[in-house]
Amino acid sequence: MNSNNEQCYIAFEPKEVHMTLIENINSLFGGQDVGQQAAVQRAMAHVLKLHAELDEEKLAQILQAASKTKVAVRPGIPVPKAVKVEVKKEDLETVENIFRHAFQIYKIQRPFFARVLLTAYFLHLREENARLGVPEEPVSTDTGEDNFAGGDDALFRFRVSVEIADMLLRNAPEDKIYIRQILEMAKKRGIP
């Protein structure tokens, strides 16, 4: 097996904040590929993309800002005993080195690593959705903070999906502008 394709795992014991970030990311992303693994893999891919585009100091600033960002926990969110995510070993080593530089640390605690990765990606998706004009639905929690609900209501999401599918299949002239916007959002997210 080629060492460039060698797989390994990121495993950590999640807290409510990790699961909230995963739920928020999946809601904001809006694609079919959702779940714990997908959210962490996309978050890691986002950091690798930034690594290719930015200098080390700018990337370090983004990660440091993400580490200081407080995320309101969703009430009653289920928390599994562990999260285990398969990733490319080479990618994990690169991101770990980015973290070591950004935080001037040698040993990386997995829960911290996962929280910062997920927070950086969550903040990116919020910013991207705002740029694309995708509305955000704030929910007030008992902490008094705003949090992203992102359409947790399965029935609501189903109805919206049916309406979008109907619009795409019908391909009516009055829907062309919306179809173009949907395709543009999908293209920016890398959804084929």
Side-chain angles (χ1 to χ4, degrees), residues 61-70 115-117 119-120 123:
Q61 290 171 2
I62 290 169
L63 294 175
Q64 290 164 5
S67 75
K68 295 173 186 167
T69 300
K70 301 265 189 242
R115 183 179 60 79
V116 173
L117 271 180
T119 302
L123 294 173

Side-chain angles (χ1 to χ4, degrees), residues 122-188:
F122 168 67
L123 294 173
H124 164 74
L125 286 177
R126 281 184 81 174
E127 184 179 301
E128 182 180 78
N129 282 358
R131 255 194 333 270
L132 295 171
V134 177
E136 193 174 299
E137 189 179 323
V139 169
S140 184
T141 64
D142 56 0
T143 62
E145 298 177 44
D146 282 343
N147 194 13
F148 182 77
D152 277 338
D153 181 0
L155 183 58
F156 172 78
R157 289 179 67 119
F158 175 74
R159 286 181 182 156
V160 169
S161 299
V162 168
E163 287 178 31
I164 290 171
D166 183 51
M167 184 188 332
L168 292 170
L169 292 171
R170 190 178 52 227
N171 201 17
E174 64 270 15
D175 292 336
K176 293 270 187 212
I177 189 168
Y178 304 115
I179 293 170
R180 238 187 341 269
Q181 288 174 344
I182 291 166
L183 294 174
E184 183 63 29
M185 286 184 344
K187 183 178 173 187
K188 286 185 179 183

Side-chain angles (χ1 to χ4, degrees), residues 96-132:
E96 285 176 335
N97 286 332
I98 292 166
F99 265 69
R100 286 187 185 97
H101 171 77
F103 297 103
Q104 297 298 301
I105 55 175
Y106 176 74
K107 185 169 171 56
I108 298 172
Q109 299 295 321
R110 285 292 181 233
F112 171 75
F113 180 76
R115 183 179 60 79
V116 173
L117 271 180
L118 291 166
T119 302
Y121 187 54
F122 168 67
L123 294 173
H124 164 74
L125 286 177
R126 281 184 81 174
E127 184 179 301
E128 182 180 78
N129 282 358
R131 255 194 333 270
L132 295 171

Side-chain angles (χ1 to χ4, degrees), residues 6-158:
E6 190 177 341
Q7 298 293 112
C8 66
Y9 291 93
I10 299 173
F12 62 96
E13 188 176 318
K15 304 283 186 224
E16 290 89 353
V17 69
H18 295 102
M19 301 316 296
T20 294
L21 284 163
I22 287 169
E23 290 292 322
N24 290 350
I25 285 168
N26 288 333
S27 294
L28 284 169
F29 182 73
Q32 291 182 0
D33 191 16
V34 296
Q36 297 168 6
Q37 283 215 23
V40 174
Q41 289 166 341
R42 284 195 312 269
M44 201 162 99
H46 172 67
V47 170
L48 288 168
K49 181 176 182 274
L50 291 177
H51 176 63
E53 296 172 351
L54 304 173
D55 65 54
E56 283 185 350
E57 294 312 311
K58 179 66 178 160
L59 180 51
Q61 290 171 2
I62 290 169
L63 294 175
Q64 290 164 5
S67 75
K68 295 173 186 167
T69 300
K70 301 265 189 242
V71 176
V73 173
R74 291 180 182 220
I77 193 160
V79 180
K81 291 192 185 306
V83 171
K84 187 175 180 182
V85 181
E86 188 174 17
V87 296
K88 287 184 182 175
K89 186 175 182 180
E90 180 181 12
D91 290 348
L92 179 58
E93 289 171 355
T94 300
V95 176
E96 285 176 335
N97 286 332
I98 292 166
F99 265 69
R100 286 187 185 97
H101 171 77
F103 297 103
Q104 297 298 301
I105 55 175
Y106 176 74
K107 185 169 171 56
I108 298 172
Q109 299 295 321
R110 285 292 181 233
F112 171 75
F113 180 76
R115 183 179 60 79
V116 173
L117 271 180
L118 291 166
T119 302
Y121 187 54
F122 168 67
L123 294 173
H124 164 74
L125 286 177
R126 281 184 81 174
E127 184 179 301
E128 182 180 78
N129 282 358
R131 255 194 333 270
L132 295 171
V134 177
E136 193 174 299
E137 189 179 323
V139 169
S140 184
T141 64
D142 56 0
T143 62
E145 298 177 44
D146 282 343
N147 194 13
F148 182 77
D152 277 338
D153 181 0
L155 183 58
F156 172 78
R157 289 179 67 119
F158 175 74

